[in-house]
């Protein structure tokens, strides 16, 4: 791959991330790459052979971004970088690491493969969410993993209706609802009993959170559908929409939340030998081959 300008992004003041960032800076400088470093970590690098930038500048100018950290670091960067034509790869310095699949001990070997074109570029879609009050947009954001309607108080029921492409689906009393992408199907949605969806599928999963009926089950819908959640006026206040557990949008009784597939795409790079099912086996402790 022809990556001339490469950016480094990572978790500030984190010892393990610090080590990987300095190794990456040495590697990329030796490759002759122009090096951009996200401004919150630029002072942590031992070399000053780089330019400190914000994420928007990185998205506009870099060919490749290397995110060092856990899936949280990747999600925060991805919501911005997905607006631009940039490839993104992750070095796992977190816990699970579904999105950051390069092991810290294999940085050089894995990046060698990527620079030699021995890699897979995977396209992941995002979700756009808007909160409407009396048909006027009050707030909006985007999500890589999931959009969650939930109460501001723990273990607090709410009432809402679900519509898909303006067709009424069901009403529900529950703690909320998770609307997850295939990328997010191995995150919060999985913990709530949702299905694992292969990344190539153009689908969303709707997962009720602690519903007040045993017949309520997750449902998988076409990702090109508009999912609408109409919050009942009888709810108490302090409802919220969360995007990837990072961004919180306030919701009042009577509001409508509309979720659509975003036009933005995240281009994830995986070194040769990457297997989605291998990742699932490792992260979820699935059984290995019998023979």
């Amino acid at each position: 791959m022809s990556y001339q300008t490469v950016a480094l992004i990572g978790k500030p003041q984190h010892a393990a991330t610090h080590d990987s960032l300095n190794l990456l800076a040495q590697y990329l400088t030796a490759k002759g790459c122009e090096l951009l470093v996200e401004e919150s970590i630029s002072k942590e690098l031992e070399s000053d052979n780089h330019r400190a930038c914000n994420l928007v500048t990185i998205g506009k100018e870099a060919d490749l971004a290397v995110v060092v950290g856990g899936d949280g670091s990747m999600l925060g960067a991805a919501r911005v970088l997905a607006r631009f034509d940039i490839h993104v790869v992750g070095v796992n310095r977190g816990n699970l690491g579904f999105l950051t699949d390069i092991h810290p001990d294999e940085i050089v070997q894995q990046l060698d493969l990527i620079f030699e074109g021995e890699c897979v570029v995977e396209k992941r879609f995002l979700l756009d969410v808007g909160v409407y009050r009396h048909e006027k947009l009050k707030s909006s954001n985007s999500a890589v993993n999931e959009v969650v309607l939930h109460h501001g108080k723990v273990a607090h029921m709410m009432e809402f209706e679900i519509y898909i492409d303006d067709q009424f689906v069901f009403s529900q009393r529950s703690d909320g609802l998770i609307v997850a992408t295939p990328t997010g199907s191995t995150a919060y949605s999985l913990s709530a009993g949702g299905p694992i969806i292969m990344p190539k599928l153009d689908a969303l999963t709707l997962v009720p959170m602690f519903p007040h009926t045993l017949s309520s089950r997750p449902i998988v819908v076409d990702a090109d559908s508009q999912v609408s959640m109409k919050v009942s006026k009888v709810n108490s206040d302090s409802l919220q929409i969360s995007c990837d557990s990072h961004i919180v949008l306030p919701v009042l009784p009577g509001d409508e939340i509309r979720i659509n597939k975003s036009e933005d795409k995240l281009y994830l790079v995986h070194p040769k030998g990457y297997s989605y099912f291998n990742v699932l086996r490792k992260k979820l402790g699935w059984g290995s081959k019998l023979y």
Side-chain angles (χ1 to χ4, degrees):
M1 290 284 181
S2 180
Y3 296 128
Q4 301 298 322
T5 304
V6 181
L8 296 180
I9 300 165
K11 187 176 182 180
Q13 299 173 341
H14 184 267
T17 299
H18 174 89
D19 294 342
S20 293
L21 286 169
N22 279 294
L23 173 61
L24 282 160
Q26 292 172 12
Y27 174 90
L28 294 167
T29 302
K31 282 274 186 189
C33 299
E34 181 185 354
L35 189 59
L36 309 182
V37 179
E38 204 270 320
E39 51 198 5
S40 68
I41 58 167
S42 64
K43 293 180 181 178
E44 296 187 31
L45 293 194
E46 292 160 8
S47 165
D48 58 1
N49 190 22
H50 63 270
R51 182 155 52 98
C53 302
N54 60 29
L55 284 175
V56 172
T57 303
I58 286 172
K60 288 178 178 177
E61 298 187 16
D63 307 309
L64 175 71
V66 184
V67 180
V68 183
D71 285 346
S73 301
M74 175 65 85
L75 292 170
R79 277 193 303 275
V80 177
L81 297 181
R83 296 184 233 149
F84 305 97
D85 185 20
I86 181 173
H87 289 180
V88 183
V89 66
V91 175
N92 185 20
R93 279 296 190 178
N95 294 316
L96 274 176
F98 278 98
L99 294 174
T100 51
D101 52 84
I102 291 182
H103 192 279
D105 295 337
E106 299 174 350
I107 288 174
V108 172
Q109 302 93 309
Q110 301 282 40
L111 281 183
D112 278 345
L113 289 173
I114 289 171
F115 272 90
E116 290 163 10
E118 299 286 323
C119 59
V120 176
V121 180
E122 200 173 44
K123 189 163 62 175
R124 304 281 184 98
F125 70 83
L126 284 74
L127 296 176
D128 286 334
V129 57
V131 178
Y132 289 80
R133 193 165 301 148
H134 309 301
E135 291 297 321
K136 287 189 176 180
L137 180 65
K138 304 302 291 184
S139 59
S140 62
N141 219 287
S142 61
V144 180
N145 269 355
E146 73 280 302
V147 172
V148 183
L149 171 66
H150 60 98
H151 212 283
K153 300 174 184 176
V154 176
H156 213 82
M157 282 278 180
M158 69 177 76
E159 289 185 2
F160 55 94
E161 295 178 338
I162 294 293
Y163 293 79
I164 295 176
D165 292 332
D166 295 322
Q167 293 186 66
F168 175 69
V169 182
F170 55 73
S171 62
Q172 188 170 90
R173 292 191 75 234
S174 68
D175 283 13
L177 187 80
I178 302 168
V179 180
T181 65
T183 303
S185 71
T186 51
Y188 192 30
S189 169
L190 183 64
S191 300
I196 294 173
I197 301 177
M198 286 185 67
K200 290 181 181 179
L201 283 179
D202 203 24
L204 301 174
T205 180
L206 280 57
V207 184
M209 297 167 61
F210 306 105
H212 212 238
T213 168
L214 294 177
S215 62
S216 189
R217 291 289 182 266
I219 179 173
V220 177
V221 302
D222 189 325
D224 289 318
S225 306
Q226 180 183 76
V227 177
S228 172
M229 297 181 273
K230 296 183 180 180
V231 179
S232 171
K233 293 180 180 178
V234 303
N235 290 297
S236 59
D237 53 10
S238 75
L239 304 180
Q240 297 174 342
I241 283 287
S242 291
C243 301
D244 296 336
S245 302
H246 282 222
I247 311 295
V248 175
L249 309 178
V251 176
L252 294 181
D255 284 356
E256 180 182 359
I257 299 100
R258 298 173 190 168
I259 300 169
N260 297 279
K261 185 204 281 185
S262 173
E263 292 183 2
D264 297 334
K265 299 287 185 290
L266 174 64
Y267 294 95
L268 274 181
V269 182
H270 303 289
K272 184 181 179 181
Y274 168 82
S275 163
Y276 179 69
F277 294 111
N278 189 39
V279 172
L280 291 180
R281 278 196 306 276
K282 284 183 177 178
K283 306 299 182 185
L284 302 179
W286 288 0
S288 57
K289 288 180 73 171
L290 297 177
Y291 48 85

